[in-house]
Amino acid sequence: PISYQLRGVEVTLTGTVEARSGVLVLTGAGSRPPVELAPLEPGGKVQWDPAAGGPQAAGPDEASAYDTLARSAGSAGTGPLTITGPLRQTSAGYWLEVRLIDGLAQTQDDTS
């Protein structure tokens, strides 16, 4: 018999990122409400690794995607960007753990 375990849902949303009271938010568009952005939690990746029998480990770029976005998002906003990650719903609204970002100009700023 085949069985499935639903670990969550990952979505891809496009919009403008703004800093609001110290929190990054993907602004709403049309009927879509604003979505609070958060770092990808350890073990929060939805994709499954059948060989390991557990969730896939996030790669370095995935684990640091939120920090990369936070460094780039100024008070004037950043966008439009396409952001992918696990979506959660709380009583306060939706929040998206940032795993991938498309449309963000990457700068090579090595200070090490």
Side-chain angles (χ1 to χ4, degrees), residues 8-11 13 35 46 85-89 94-97:
V9 68
E10 182 171 272
V11 300
L13 301 174
V35 177
V46 173
L87 181 71
R88 311 269 190 248
Q89 183 177 14
Y94 292 96
W95 57 277
L96 178 70
E97 293 180 31

Side-chain angles (χ1 to χ4, degrees), residues 13 49 56 69 92 98:
L13 301 174
D49 181 346
Q56 285 182 6
L69 180 61
V98 179

Side-chain angles (χ1 to χ4, degrees), residues 49-85:
D49 181 346
Q56 285 182 6
D61 289 345
E62 294 172 317
S64 65
Y66 179 87
D67 292 335
T68 300
L69 180 61
R71 283 192 304 272
S72 299
S75 58
T78 302
L81 298 175
T82 300
I83 300 176
T84 301

Side-chain angles (χ1 to χ4, degrees), residues 9-33:
V9 68
E10 182 171 272
V11 300
T12 299
L13 301 174
T14 300
T16 300
V17 174
E18 295 179 353
R20 296 182 183 173
S21 303
V23 175
L24 294 182
V25 175
L26 188 67
T27 59
S31 63
R32 189 190 81 217

